[in-house]
Amino acid sequence: MLNGALIGCGFFAQNQMHGWAGIDDVTITAVCDRDSAKAEATATRFGARAYTDAAAMIAAERLDFVDIATTVASHRPLVEMAAGAGLHVICQKPFAETMADAHAMVAAVDEAGKLLMVHENFRWQSAVRAAIAAVRGGAIGTPFFGRVTFRSGYDVYAGQPYLATDERFIIQDLGIHILDIARALLGDVVTISATARRVNPKIRGEDVATMLLEHEGGATSVVDCSYATRRTPETFPETLLEIDGDLGTLRLDAGYRLVIQLEGEVIRDVAPPLLAWAERPWHNIQESVQIIQQHFVDCLREGREPETSGRDNLKTLALVEAAYASARDRSRIDVRGW
Ligand code: NAD
Ligand code: 89Y
């Protein structure tokens, strides 16, 4: 049995707790939030002990890992604290506010000889996973072009009010996932250029971003994100895909419809299951939470690095940082060595 503890009992952490409840051989024995009401509510809901101080919780509990579900500013101190206590770590995205913080966290957990996984869950959504498996399995030959797109007018600010007030919005919050999917499909990135703008006058950061990526294998992709797109049907929170290969094309269309065209056309329904605790339209994301957490447990058991490890996530985070720099300077940025 693995003993874990959750740090941060806010909006998204509830999904993580449900996810853990669905995984065998893991118990979340304790939860912690600086806000005692949130800690108590989550502890009561899921049957754990409540704390308001992460250091006190780590000292008092016998833990194998911590699952950090706080917003980005607290990630580095919490990851370093957990590493210092010799624990395995999962940390929510965005992993860090700077590349220096991200590298420091990877080094701290490495020095402790423990596993560090970033909760970069979009590439683990079952529909996206089906597309990744097909592309990696050679279903359309060698890919030379990709479009990875997320356009929505869904009110994300209601559940996550900080998204309306933070200086950075869509690239750091959502684009990070979509860039990560582009990497998962087409490989690591050499250069990126981006434009970004704010359409909704009521928020502080950018809510539209369009990014052009050159991948190591020679493919080009367009990664485009918007929370200012009003359309019917509303596709939140689906990521749509179009990948051209030298043998054929693959699309992940709205409604979780996977289309592979070679001589003929194969259409598969890859809609995610509605888990007992999940709610539409979030069920797609909620299922991926359980899948990525199961992946972490499998990696711990088998002694291997998670696909979405801290080290791997440095490459996704570099794209986020470079996208902001490119949009600001109107430049094209080589991210190798970031
Ligand atoms: P939230 O503000 O609702 O919850 C964060 C909680 O952490 C708060 O209750 C806060 O009191 C607590 N906290 C902060 N610092 C702490 C500390 N040092 N010790 C103890 N508690 C602390 O935020 P949220 O919307 O749940 O988002 C949390 C993270 O999850 C963000 O980084 C966000 O980007 C991410 N998120 C990920 C997904 C996904 O699909 N992967 C979806 C939504 C949000
Ligand atoms: O915070 C974001 C995430 O990670 O997935 C969707 C989201 O909740 C809003 O953009």
Side-chain angles (χ1 to χ4, degrees):
M1 179 65 74
L2 290 168
N3 289 332
L6 175 83
I7 306 178
C9 299
F11 169 76
F12 201 71
Q14 307 307 309
N15 297 316
Q16 293 170 223
M17 290 300 285
H18 278 297
W20 289 124
I23 295 174
D24 289 339
D25 298 333
V26 176
T27 310
I28 302 297
T29 59
V31 301
C32 167
D33 199 293
R34 288 195 297 222
D35 178 334
S36 60
K38 287 188 184 177
E40 289 294 345
T42 304
T44 304
R45 190 174 181 199
F46 293 99
R49 285 178 285 279
Y51 293 82
T52 52
D53 181 66
M57 176 176 76
I58 288 171
E61 298 284 328
R62 289 174 64 85
L63 299 173
D64 298 299
F65 72 93
V66 291
D67 186 11
I68 299 171
T70 62
T71 42
V72 65
S74 50
H75 288 174
R76 181 170 174 182
L78 290 170
V79 168
E80 289 180 341
M81 178 192 296
L87 302 179
H88 302 289
V89 183
I90 306 176
C91 181
Q92 255 299 347
K93 51 58 65 174
F95 184 36
E97 288 178 310
T98 65
M99 290 308 296
D101 283 352
H103 281 286
M105 287 187 274
V106 170
V109 184
D110 268 355
E111 273 162 36
K114 298 292 168 181
L115 284 194
L116 169 61
M117 184 180 83
V118 175
H119 190 116
E120 179 40 79
N121 53 325
F122 270 41
R123 70 159 75 182
W124 292 102
Q125 292 170 5
S126 48
V128 172
R129 208 69 205 169
I132 292 171
V135 170
R136 289 183 183 169
I140 56 166
T142 304
F144 60 87
F145 172 82
R147 180 171 181 218
V148 188
T149 178
F150 186 109
R151 311 191 76 78
S152 168
Y154 187 85
D155 177 14
V156 283
Y157 314 107
Q160 297 168 263
Y162 56 90
L163 297 179
T165 53
D166 284 356
E167 192 181 340
R168 290 178 164 189
F169 173 32
I170 201 167
I171 300 175
Q172 173 169 279
D173 169 66
L174 187 277
I176 196 166
H177 292 303
I178 314 306
L179 289 163
D180 189 69
I181 291 173
R183 282 189 56 232
L185 283 163
L186 298 172
D188 286 336
V189 175
V190 181
T191 66
I192 181 169
S193 58
T195 61
R197 60 169 293 191
R198 173 165 55 86
V199 173
N200 180 348
K202 296 189 186 135
I203 66 166
R204 185 169 169 215
E206 82 292 348
D207 54 0
V208 175
T210 309
M211 295 162 271
L212 181 70
L213 278 57
E214 178 195 3
H215 294 263
E216 273 174 5
T220 298
S221 66
V222 178
V223 174
D224 58 290
C225 309
S226 165
Y227 270 128
T229 300
R230 295 160 209 277
R231 65 175 179 189
T232 308
E234 168 57 73
T235 51
F236 179 87
E238 291 179 54
T239 305
L240 308 183
L241 304 173
E242 234 181 297
I243 314 289
D244 292 352
D246 57 2
L247 298 181
T249 65
L250 173 149
R251 292 197 322 271
L252 180 58
D253 288 340
Y256 304 105
R257 198 166 159 270
L258 183 68
V259 182
I260 297 178
Q261 290 178 328
L262 299 171
E263 299 299 309
E265 184 177 71
V266 177
I267 302 177
R268 278 172 60 198
D269 177 2
V270 289
L274 182 66
L275 297 178
W277 52 271
E279 271 181 295
R280 291 180 195 278
W282 287 87
H283 64 300
N284 169 34
I285 291 181
Q286 288 167 318
E287 187 216 14
S288 71
V289 166
Q290 190 156 318
I291 294 172
I292 194 174
Q293 290 177 181
Q294 181 68 62
H295 175 65
F296 176 74
V297 171
D298 294 344
C299 289
L300 269 186
R301 298 262 182 245
E302 293 157 23
R304 62 189 163 100
E305 180 149 314
E307 182 176 309
T308 38
S309 66
R311 198 179 333 281
D312 179 80
N313 199 257
L314 294 172
K315 296 179 188 164
T316 295
L317 202 62
L319 294 177
V320 168
E321 288 302 318
Y324 281 110
S326 164
R328 188 187 59 229
D329 304 341
R330 297 200 160 96
S331 57
R332 180 174 177 211
I333 295 182
D334 190 326
V335 290
R336 285 171 294 185
W338 272 48

